Structure formats: structure tokens, C-alpha cells
């Protein structure tokens, strides 16, 4: 497979396929990751759309190890290692760093709401000190619509001051462009890498000085997203962005994780891909039919998706 030594500008929070007993399906998982890498997409395994908070710590260890054993290059990996329990976050982060992963994506502890910046600073500081490895590169994960625990600009400032280099960047999934722009303006001059949390903000992010996006639909529409990230200074960039928005808007009409898995099941010819782990449920027949019609009307395709089917 093709390798890409530099840090990718587009990452996908990789979907986790499950078998009929809701165990991770390693064969499908490795095939999907290889397919994404062939299109220069980085692998943000154990992200929101990976159903990461429905996976155990041992399962995450096993999935990461399976990718390494399959020859997926660690320089393309950004495992999600945040957890409500600090010892779990330290364990997962140590494992990722020792694997050679280029970085880790770290949610705040999200169960308790209304926590202070001081509490969040202590969490991230204890995580960094607990890992105790200068090779650690931490990307903060700001997703207040889901976590209900925002990461303020002042918190990021404090973490950068204490741990320059180690605190390497952020995924901003807040949905507020003004916040993303403020992160870029305030921190990017220090080498802090700002990724938008959706390709809907990709062109704006790149024009402002950010580095790219970490986006759910990178799982199903990787080629066009990477093309914009690589060719954003060309004359057709706005048209490319409009095309990405149209595809994303289709998926956003449905529960996103089941919809993306349904699309892979359809395009790969492998119906088992549609399985999600409870408490999520698959799209029903009417939803699946509506999704296919809308995607067909939009000219959607997944070149090479037949490779994602489990033999």
C-alpha cells in the first residue's frame, strides 16, 4: 500500500465494524483502515464515530495492535485516548505512544458537567505527567455539543505554556467557526495545529491557517475531502467545498454512524457492515432506502469499496 510519511491533513474517526455478537470485526477493520490510507487519510481510531465510548480498554488495545500487525504505519495513527477515568486515559495513551502513533486525540472527562478550567487543567496535566514520555503529542478534543465540557481558549493557553510541543493541536467539533478562527489566530503561530471537526469548515480552516479536518464522513467520502485539502488554493476550491457540503448534508439527515455504516454495507456488498453496538441501532429499511436514493441523486460513489467486504 502507499505510505504517507508526513502528518495527514485529513483524518477520519474510523468506524468500528462489529460481528453479529457485537464484537469488533478485525478483518473488516483492517481492510477499512487500509482503504483509507490508500487515499491519504489519517486514522483517528477510537473517535466519536468509532463508537469509542462503547469499546473497552482491552478492545482498544487489541484493535490498535491489529493495525500495527497488519502493517499500517503508526505515523498515520491518532488514537482517541480520552476517558472519564484518568487511569484508563493514561493506560490508553501510554499504549498509543509506545506503538509509535503520531499523536493522540484526548476528550475531556465528560461525565461531570460544569467542571472548572482548573479541574480540566489538572486532568490533562496528570495525564501528561502520568505517561511521562517526551514522544507524546496530544491533540485536544473540543466537542461541547456531545461532551458538554468545553475547552476554553484560556485553558489551551495554560496547557501550551506548561507543555509546549507535547500539547500539539486540537480538533474543534464545537460547530462555531468563530471559536475555530480564534484558536488559529491565537495559537497557530506557535505551531499549534488546528483541525476542523467537519469538512464543512475545511476550506475556511485552511484559508485561516489551520491544517485540515478530522471528519466523520472521511470514512465514506475520503477522496474528495483529501482533494480539497491538497488543492485548496486552486480556482475550483469553493466548488469542491460545495460538493463536500452536499454529500455531508445527505448523511446528516440520518443518525450519522448508522448511516455511514449502511452506506459501506451497500457499496461493499457486505451487509454485516451495517451493525452498530448497542445502545445505537441500525437504520430501518425505509431509512436505508431513503439514504441510498439521496446519495444516488447526489452522485455519491465509494471507489474500491468492494475491498471492504469480509471474505
Amino acid at each position: 500500500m502507499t505510505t504517507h510519511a508526513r502528518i495527514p491533513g485529513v483524518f477520519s474517526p474510523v468506524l468500528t465494524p462489529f460481528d453479529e455478537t457485537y464484537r469488533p470485526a478485525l478483518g473488516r477493520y483492517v481492510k477499512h483502515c487500509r482503504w483509507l490510507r490508500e487515499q491519504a487519510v489519517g486514522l483517528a481510531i477510537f473517535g466519536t464515530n468509532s463508537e469509542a465510548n462503547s469499546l473497552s480498554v482491552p478492545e482498544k488495545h487489541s484493535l490498535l495492535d491489529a493495525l500495527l500487525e497488519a502493517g499500517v504505519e503508526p505515523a498515520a495513527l491518532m488514537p482517541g485516548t480520552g476517558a472519564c477515568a484518568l487511569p484508563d486515559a493514561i493506560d490508553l495513551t501510554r499504549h498509543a505512544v509506545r506503538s509509535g502513533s503520531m499523536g493522540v486525540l484526548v476528550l475531556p472527562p465528560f461525565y461531570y458537567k460544569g467542571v472548572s478550567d482548573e479541574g480540566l487543567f489538572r486532568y490533562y496535566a496528570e495525564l501528561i505527567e502520568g505517561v511521562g514520555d517526551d514522544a507524546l503529542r496530544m491533540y485536544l478534543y473540543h466537542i461541547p455539543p456531545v461532551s458538554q465540557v468545553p475547552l476554553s481558549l484560556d485553558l489551551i493557553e495554560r496547557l501550551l505554556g506548561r507543555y509546549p510541543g507535547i500539547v500539539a493541536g486540537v480538533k474543534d467539533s464545537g460547530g462555531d467557526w468563530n471559536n475555530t478562527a480564534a484558536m488559529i489566530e491565537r495559537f497557530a503561530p506557535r505551531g499549534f495545529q488546528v483541525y476542523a471537526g467537519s469538512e464543512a469548515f475545511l476550506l475556511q480552516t485552511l484559508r485561516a491557517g489551520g491544517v485540515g479536518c478530522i471528519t466523520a464522513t472521511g470514512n465514506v467520502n475520503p477522496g474528495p475531502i483529501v482533494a480539497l485539502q491538497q488543492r485548496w488554493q486552486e480556482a475550483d476550491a469553493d466548488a469542491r467545498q460545495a460538493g463536500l457540503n452536499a454529500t455531508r448534508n445527505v448523511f446528516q439527515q440520518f443518525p450519522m454512524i448508522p448511516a455511514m455504516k449502511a452506506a459501506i454495507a451497500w457499496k461493499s456488498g457486505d451487509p454485516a457492515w451495517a451493525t452498530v453496538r448497542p445502545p445505537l441501532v441500525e437504520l430501518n429499511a425505509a431509512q436505508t432506502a431513503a439514504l441510498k436514493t439521496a446519495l444516488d441523486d447526489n452522485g455519491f460513489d465509494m471507489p474500491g469499496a468492494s475491498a471492504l467486504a469480509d471474505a
Side-chain angles (χ1 to χ4, degrees), residues 164-208:
I166 288 178
V167 179
V170 67
K171 176 187 179 183
D172 186 359
S173 292
D176 177 0
W177 166 247
N178 290 328
N179 188 69
T180 306
M183 288 181 174
I184 294 170
E185 180 179 3
R186 187 163 169 179
F187 305 125
R190 289 185 252 175
F192 188 76
Q193 298 173 320
V194 178
Y195 286 89
S198 164
E199 76 274 24
F201 296 103
L202 178 55
L203 188 54
Q204 285 175 288
T205 297
L206 293 168
R207 285 173 172 167

Side-chain angles (χ1 to χ4, degrees), residues 288-300:
T288 301
L291 173 67
K292 291 179 179 180
T293 297
L295 289 173
D296 274 340
D297 290 346
N298 196 51
F300 174 76

Side-chain angles (χ1 to χ4, degrees), residues 2-284:
T2 303
T3 58
H4 305 269
R6 66 184 182 84
I7 295 174
V10 176
F11 281 86
S12 173
V14 179
L15 293 167
T16 305
F18 296 103
D19 65 20
E20 66 278 2
T21 63
Y22 302 118
R23 294 177 301 182
L26 293 181
R28 293 183 182 91
Y29 189 66
V30 169
K31 288 178 180 181
H32 186 43
C33 288
R34 283 175 168 164
W35 181 73
L36 291 171
R37 287 304 298 137
E38 287 167 0
Q39 298 174 80
V41 173
L43 308 176
I45 58 175
F46 318 142
T48 299
N49 290 277
S50 312
E51 301 173 71
N53 289 297
S54 297
L55 294 169
S56 69
V57 170
E59 284 175 328
K60 292 176 183 177
H61 282 308
S62 295
L63 288 166
L64 174 54
D65 291 345
L67 293 182
L68 298 175
E69 290 167 8
V72 174
E73 69 274 38
L77 293 169
M78 187 191 288
T81 62
C84 289
L86 183 58
D88 287 348
I90 292 172
D91 179 25
L92 289 166
T93 303
R94 279 180 179 158
H95 185 67
V97 172
R98 290 170 181 169
S99 78
S101 295
M102 56 76 59
V104 294
L105 185 62
V106 185
L107 275 169
F110 53 83
Y111 181 77
Y112 296 107
K113 313 306 180 190
V115 295
S116 65
D117 275 7
E118 176 63 27
L120 292 173
F121 177 82
R122 292 183 188 182
Y123 173 87
Y124 282 110
E126 288 298 319
L127 174 53
I128 292 167
E129 299 290 348
V131 172
D133 193 325
D134 289 340
L136 172 62
R137 295 295 178 267
M138 178 182 292
Y139 291 78
L140 307 172
Y141 190 1
H142 175 72
I143 183 170
V146 176
S147 71
Q148 303 287 303
V149 180
L151 304 179
S152 71
L153 298 178
D154 288 344
L155 172 65
I156 295 172
E157 181 77 56
R158 188 177 174 190
L159 287 168
L160 276 172
R162 176 72 68 86
Y163 302 106
I166 288 178
V167 179
V170 67
K171 176 187 179 183
D172 186 359
S173 292
D176 177 0
W177 166 247
N178 290 328
N179 188 69
T180 306
M183 288 181 174
I184 294 170
E185 180 179 3
R186 187 163 169 179
F187 305 125
R190 289 185 252 175
F192 188 76
Q193 298 173 320
V194 178
Y195 286 89
S198 164
E199 76 274 24
F201 296 103
L202 178 55
L203 188 54
Q204 285 175 288
T205 297
L206 293 168
R207 285 173 172 167
V211 294
C213 64
I214 303 174
T215 181
T217 41
N219 279 287
V220 290
N221 195 34
I225 299 172
V226 170
L228 176 58
Q229 191 273 332
Q230 294 179 344
R231 301 170 64 179
W232 65 274
Q233 293 175 304
E234 297 182 9
D236 64 349
D238 288 287
R240 289 179 183 274
Q241 181 67 71
L244 298 184
N245 294 349
T247 299
R248 186 176 183 95
N249 288 342
V250 172
F251 281 99
Q252 289 183 162
Q253 295 174 33
F254 305 89
M256 282 283 285
I257 297 170
M260 290 187 293
K261 285 190 164 183
I264 296 177
W266 170 37
K267 292 296 186 178
S268 69
D270 183 355
W273 252 107
T275 304
V276 292
R277 179 177 270 187
L280 300 185
V281 296
E282 295 79 17
L283 298 189
N284 61 36

